[in-house]
Amino acid sequence: MLFETDDHQRLRQQVRDFAEGEVTPHVARLESSAAVDTILPTLIAEQGWIGVTIPREYGGMAAGHLAKTIIIEELSRVSGAAGAIAQASQLGVAKILHFGTEQQKQQWLPRIAAGTCLPTIATTEAGSGGHVLGMQATAQRDGDHYILNGSKKFVGNSHVGHVHGVIVRTGGADTRPSKSLSAFLVEADRPGIRLVEHQPAMGLHGFSFGDIEFNDVAVPAANRLGNEGDGLHVAYSSSVLYGRPNLTAVSLGIHQAALDSTVAFVKERRRYGAPLADLPTIQHKVGLMHHRLITARQTAYHAVHLLDRGDPCDGKLMSSKYGNVEAAMDSVRTAMEVHAAAGLRTDRPLERYYRDAACIYAPAGTGDIQLLRLAETALGDDRGQWSERLAHLTALAPQAPHSATSTATREHAA
């Protein structure tokens, strides 16, 4: 692949070996129970991969966004839930890297990189969805603390996270809308936090994508990320620079798995005295899936390669999320057409890929949201690029060698 280095290829093999050896044995259990899994989050975090974009001075890998994409993709190829677990906490890293004080970075990033802390980001509400400014959760200043009230939905790693990055309303009716929100680091064990009972989704079984309630939760003012009024920036920058490429990577892994399983199926299943793979109609469908995957991967890797260079690339990140999700959903449908009734059976993984792919559409913005933002960029109505403002925090040094393997990963490989 054009943008991959030898380090990236070694990392890919290490993650693939881990996924096939350590994740695969859990897939059947996750699918049968659909309960929140606590084993895989720990196993994945222990590899050091949540810290893939964290600078070395905080114990991270400093390997960049392409390395992050490869990690999520390879985990998702075996289990969409495993990829979702990894991407959700890597998304939680963004808010601290982008807006954390030096004290906050020293407090949280080494623990995240070491795998002892899983961060989340909690933005979405039932009444606002992708309209972040429509949220109703609040934080009222009370001396050296803020008192948080409200609820958040669809929080990735909600039931296994250790610290939640919560976006709430701090401004009153007379506050400019863009300055009405603030962000806080809220430890999961603070009094007043309630995890709503896990509701299994149609796919990504084992991944907690749940709801959290905050009832008079006292949070020190020192836990605020950035200034009061920076909450919208925290939410948007995290979503654009981490959320979109992370979910793109999950789609890539599912897409690859769907192609792999379809190729194996058409080679083994026979019709008219020959493998299905000999039929031109089947070859056409397999070729179409392969074309979609090649195009999707090139789009995804190019976008995060630009992000690693520190180049402006917001539009490419949004386009990549839109294109990859659509391509993966199209390809799993094509794979279902090839498998026919066999694809509906739970003894084959395709029906899982079908369900998992559908779960990637809404997070970090539906396809309609991506197209709306892309239209704003094309029309010159966007308000600047987050990659231009913040990519330098994780950008790789030009032409400088970097290691895309963590200490934990190397130990595992050994």
Side-chain angles (χ1 to χ4, degrees), residues 226-295:
N227 297 318
E228 190 168 299
D230 282 345
L232 186 65
H233 292 172
V234 174
Y236 277 0
S237 64
S238 299
S239 179
V240 171
L241 302 186
Y242 276 72
R244 285 164 169 84
N246 287 8
L247 290 158
T248 295
V250 178
S251 293
L252 267 180
I254 296 170
H255 200 162
Q256 182 68 65
L259 176 61
D260 292 344
S261 65
T262 301
V263 168
F265 177 76
V266 301
K267 286 182 176 181
E268 72 183 24
R269 185 61 60 97
R270 299 179 68 83
R271 287 292 185 274
Y272 314 116
L276 277 178
D278 288 355
L279 297 176
T281 52
I282 297 298
Q283 293 172 358
H284 175 85
K285 291 181 183 296
V286 173
L288 181 58
M289 291 175 65
H290 195 198
H291 159 72
R292 291 188 188 122
L293 178 60
I294 290 172
T295 304

Side-chain angles (χ1 to χ4, degrees), residues 77-372:
R77 191 178 65 87
V78 168
S79 164
I85 288 166
Q87 75 81 26
S89 278
Q90 288 171 345
L91 171 59
V93 168
K95 61 188 181 293
I96 303 173
L97 281 177
H98 295 163
F99 287 90
T101 64
E102 183 58 29
Q103 181 179 354
Q104 289 168 340
K105 291 178 180 179
Q106 293 284 356
Q107 179 180 357
W108 293 107
L109 294 181
R111 294 165 58 187
I112 295 169
T116 60
C117 174
L118 288 173
T120 78
I121 188 163
T123 303
T124 305
E125 296 183 8
S128 56
H131 176 45
V132 177
L133 288 174
M135 68 173 58
Q136 297 300 311
T138 62
Q140 299 291 331
R141 186 71 183 251
D142 183 16
D144 292 334
H145 287 73
Y146 285 82
I147 308 301
L148 273 61
N149 282 284
S151 61
K152 296 294 178 180
K153 297 186 71 68
F154 310 126
V155 179
N157 284 340
S158 54
H159 287 56
V160 297
H162 299 98
V163 59
H164 305 299
V166 187
I167 317 294
V168 290
R169 184 172 297 281
T170 51
D174 57 344
T175 305
R176 185 156 50 100
S178 63
K179 288 294 184 181
S180 63
L181 308 179
S182 299
F184 298 88
L185 291 168
V186 184
E187 297 88 341
D189 58 358
R190 283 196 172 273
I193 293 179
R194 175 179 174 268
L195 293 172
V196 178
E197 183 178 356
H198 173 68
Q199 297 293 321
M202 67 178 287
L204 302 179
H205 290 172
F207 173 56
S208 60
F209 191 47
D211 307 343
I212 306 176
E213 294 180 353
F214 301 90
N215 300 295
D216 291 331
V217 179
V219 179
N223 283 27
R224 189 183 65 217
L225 283 164
N227 297 318
E228 190 168 299
D230 282 345
L232 186 65
H233 292 172
V234 174
Y236 277 0
S237 64
S238 299
S239 179
V240 171
L241 302 186
Y242 276 72
R244 285 164 169 84
N246 287 8
L247 290 158
T248 295
V250 178
S251 293
L252 267 180
I254 296 170
H255 200 162
Q256 182 68 65
L259 176 61
D260 292 344
S261 65
T262 301
V263 168
F265 177 76
V266 301
K267 286 182 176 181
E268 72 183 24
R269 185 61 60 97
R270 299 179 68 83
R271 287 292 185 274
Y272 314 116
L276 277 178
D278 288 355
L279 297 176
T281 52
I282 297 298
Q283 293 172 358
H284 175 85
K285 291 181 183 296
V286 173
L288 181 58
M289 291 175 65
H290 195 198
H291 159 72
R292 291 188 188 122
L293 178 60
I294 290 172
T295 304
R297 181 171 284 119
Q298 288 285 0
T299 302
Y301 284 19
H302 180 238
V304 290
H305 171 70
L306 293 176
L307 189 56
D308 280 341
R309 288 185 4 177
D311 293 343
C313 57
D314 286 27
K316 292 179 175 62
L317 294 169
M318 291 183 281
S319 176
S320 177
K321 200 269 183 176
Y322 173 80
N324 267 265
V325 172
E326 295 292 331
M329 293 176 70
D330 286 344
S331 282
V332 293
R333 186 183 66 243
T334 301
M336 275 290 188
E337 293 169 359
V338 173
H339 281 71
L344 304 176
R345 296 279 299 270
T346 56
D347 61 346
R348 292 188 177 273
L350 186 58
E351 61 87 26
R352 169 164 59 92
Y353 304 150
Y354 196 93
R355 291 184 287 104
D356 288 353
C359 293
I360 310 303
Y361 179 78
T366 64
D368 289 336
I369 291 295
Q370 309 308 326
L371 293 177
L372 175 62

